[in-house]
Amino acid sequence: MTESLVCLTSNFGVYLLKNLITPLDMELARRDVRDQMDARFSPAFCDRVREFISFGQLDLPSRQLVAKSMLDQEIALQRANMGSPIFFGQDVVSYVARIGFRGGDGARYMRSTVQTQIREALRLVPIPCPERIVLTPRNNSIVIV
């Protein structure tokens, strides 16, 4: 017999889980989320969900870790495409963590923010590429310095 564990993530009911103070608040909100799931999804699907784990909103240090990870991935991809080293500092990480986060969307919006901002900045790199590309935030966008 083969057993599997499937983890699903969702922002379903996120509005119910905001600003909770006590464990009782959390328990009541979780029941509300379950009731809404039962109303929205088929009984066959809901019967297969064994456990719910609720997380609070990401705090700033957590958002910065996510932003750094996403920036590292995007920069590695662009570095391979361009053949030039690309550098960014904590100022870029903080900028992305601030503008790339929308509470109800978790960190999902951050990935598109990273891709859009980095690709837009690198679109302006002259050809042939410089030996070193440094990125920084300026006037609500990421630019090359």
Side-chain angles (χ1 to χ4, degrees), residues 95 98-99 117 137-143:
Y95 171 75
R98 182 175 48 81
I99 69 154
Q117 292 273 327
R138 184 176 298 146
N139 298 330
N140 295 321
S141 63
I142 295 175
V143 298

Side-chain angles (χ1 to χ4, degrees), residues 61-93:
S62 298
R63 291 194 315 251
Q64 289 176 333
L65 287 171
V66 172
K68 172 84 166 72
S69 175
M70 289 180 179
L71 282 162
D72 286 342
Q73 291 171 11
E74 182 65 23
I75 293 300
L77 175 69
Q78 296 305 324
R79 192 178 286 149
N81 289 339
M82 299 180 80
S84 292
I86 304 169
F87 300 94
F88 65 91
Q90 184 60 37
D91 55 346
V92 173
V93 173

Side-chain angles (χ1 to χ4, degrees), residues 9-37:
T9 62
S10 173
N11 290 328
F12 188 82
V14 70
Y15 58 91
L16 292 170
L17 301 174
K18 287 184 178 182
N19 304 319
L20 300 178
I21 299 171
T22 68
L24 178 60
D25 291 339
M26 178 61 89
E27 183 57 35
L28 293 173
R30 290 183 78 202
R31 284 186 201 164
D32 286 346
V33 169
R34 182 61 194 223
D35 289 345
Q36 288 187 16
M37 278 193 63

Side-chain angles (χ1 to χ4, degrees), residues 92-134:
V92 173
V93 173
S94 295
Y95 171 75
V96 168
R98 182 175 48 81
I99 69 154
F101 181 78
R102 295 190 305 197
D105 295 332
R108 290 184 180 124
Y109 181 68
M110 197 175 297
R111 179 162 312 281
S112 65
T113 299
V114 166
Q115 291 172 342
T116 301
Q117 292 273 327
I118 297 300
R119 292 173 187 182
E120 185 64 26
L122 295 178
R123 184 179 65 81
L124 301 174
V125 171
I127 297 181
C129 292
E131 291 181 24
R132 175 182 162 107
I133 300 168
V134 179

